[in-house]
Amino acid sequence: MSVDVGRYGIWLMRGHQTPEIAAEIEELGFGAIWVGGSPPADLAVSESLLAATERIAVGTSIVNMWQVAAEDVAPSYHRIADRHPDRFLLGVGIGHPEADRVYASPYDTIRSYLDELDTLKVPVEGRALAALGPKVLRVAGERTAGALPYLTVPAHTREARGILGDGPLLAIEQKIVPSVDPAHARAVAEPTIQRYLGLVNYRRNLLRSGFTEEDLDTASDRLVDALALHGTTAEIAAGLRAHADAGADHVAVQVLSSSGTVDDEFRTALRALAAALL
């Protein structure tokens, strides 16, 4: 593993991925910035964040295999890796059958895509794989630097570490809402979480993690509270550390603010987390 992402990083959705916020995140001491969504093949946003910073790692979370061909993203990877050695991690994944009109065997597609990246000289240590289920987690450990699970809980982190074994990177995403009011926090988090609850990959994984169909169909308080931590800074930090205790090497924190923008609430949350975690 040549890209050091540190123990904690910040996962940024579209609209939040600016050079200014990247510089702030680096100054606070976080180890990585994750470019959320499905970045296009040019990886221009990732490159702009790297150019605006000096040390922090940047990863994609994730480049969608159905939307971006390996032959198109590989030159961008090499361009960025040459300009910013050991600071860029190419996160790739297969997306979801409900969201992608062209969809075939996920497992076969993943292996074929990684074969193409091999041919195009994208090194194993420079790429990571979105993974939830056991088969894909094993591929992540065997064919990439490691796994990038999204929308999970510590029980899944523990299972994923057991499958990966020691060595491969396990970098999980965890949402938080900087609020001590449970009703307000749920109101902020639920619209984001609801987007994923109709996707079979996430549903299947959350059921494996102990949630019920009713939890998923109703976006129960139990489910929302687990997928979007809230409370005091100390309580949120404890929830993030629970993933580390369960075997995660890295926790990518996605901050959900009331406005949905990089506002004072968002920045205050970053500063509080840095003080509590770093």
Side-chain angles (χ1 to χ4, degrees):
M1 178 68 188
S2 61
V3 181
D4 182 4
V5 296
R7 179 51 62 93
Y8 295 100
I10 301 298
W11 193 101
L12 296 175
M13 64 180 70
R14 287 181 187 145
H16 294 182
Q17 300 159 0
T18 66
E20 293 76 18
I21 196 64
E24 289 184 40
I25 292 168
E26 179 178 66
E27 186 176 354
L28 287 170
F30 291 99
I33 296 167
W34 298 92
V35 177
S38 300
D42 62 13
L43 302 178
V45 169
S46 297
E47 189 166 22
S48 72
L49 302 185
L50 286 161
T53 54
E54 297 179 359
R55 303 172 304 279
I56 197 167
V58 172
T60 53
S61 181
I62 47 87
V63 169
N64 189 318
M65 292 177 176
W66 293 115
Q67 297 175 8
V68 176
E71 65 183 1
D72 293 330
V73 77
S76 298
Y77 169 83
H78 288 298
R79 181 189 76 244
I80 293 172
D82 286 346
R83 292 176 182 173
H84 305 280
D86 300 328
R87 292 182 61 203
F88 179 63
L89 192 61
L90 178 66
V92 298
I94 57 162
H96 305 277
E98 300 89 347
D100 298 298
R101 286 177 292 178
V102 180
Y103 197 85
S105 164
Y107 187 76
D108 292 344
T109 299
I110 287 169
R111 297 191 70 90
S112 175
Y113 199 95
L114 295 176
D115 287 344
E116 290 183 68
L117 291 181
D118 286 341
T119 300
L120 296 162
K121 308 299 183 186
V122 175
V124 168
E125 64 271 18
R127 65 200 196 202
L129 180 64
L132 292 173
K135 287 179 66 175
V136 181
L137 283 164
R138 292 188 188 97
V139 173
E142 294 166 359
R143 300 287 308 276
T144 77
L148 305 175
Y150 185 91
L151 203 73
T152 63
V153 294
H156 180 269
T157 299
R158 187 172 294 104
E159 177 187 2
R161 175 50 70 199
I163 292 168
L164 287 169
D166 296 333
L169 174 71
L170 179 56
I172 66 94
E173 176 271 351
Q174 174 68 61
K175 296 171 181 56
I176 72 157
V177 180
S179 174
V180 296
D181 180 346
H184 173 72
R186 290 165 189 151
V188 170
E190 186 174 339
T192 297
I193 291 170
Q194 281 279 17
R195 288 189 225 134
Y196 302 105
L197 298 183
L199 301 176
V200 65
N201 292 355
Y202 289 125
R203 288 185 71 91
R204 186 181 298 125
N205 192 61
L206 290 168
L207 290 170
R208 279 196 303 261
S209 296
F211 296 99
T212 66
E213 292 282 1
E214 183 177 0
D215 285 324
L216 303 182
D217 292 340
T218 63
S220 70
D221 289 351
R222 182 171 86 102
L223 177 70
V224 173
D225 290 350
L227 297 180
L229 304 175
H230 61 83
T232 65
T233 299
E235 289 168 336
I236 291 173
L240 298 173
R241 291 192 187 99
H243 282 287
D245 293 343
D249 299 296
H250 178 87
V251 180
V253 184
Q254 182 178 172
V255 179
L256 304 179
S257 64
S258 302
S259 69
T261 65
V262 178
D263 57 7
D264 288 343
E265 180 185 357
F266 186 96
R267 288 186 162 92
T268 298
L270 292 184
R271 292 193 293 271
L273 284 173
L277 295 170
L278 305 178

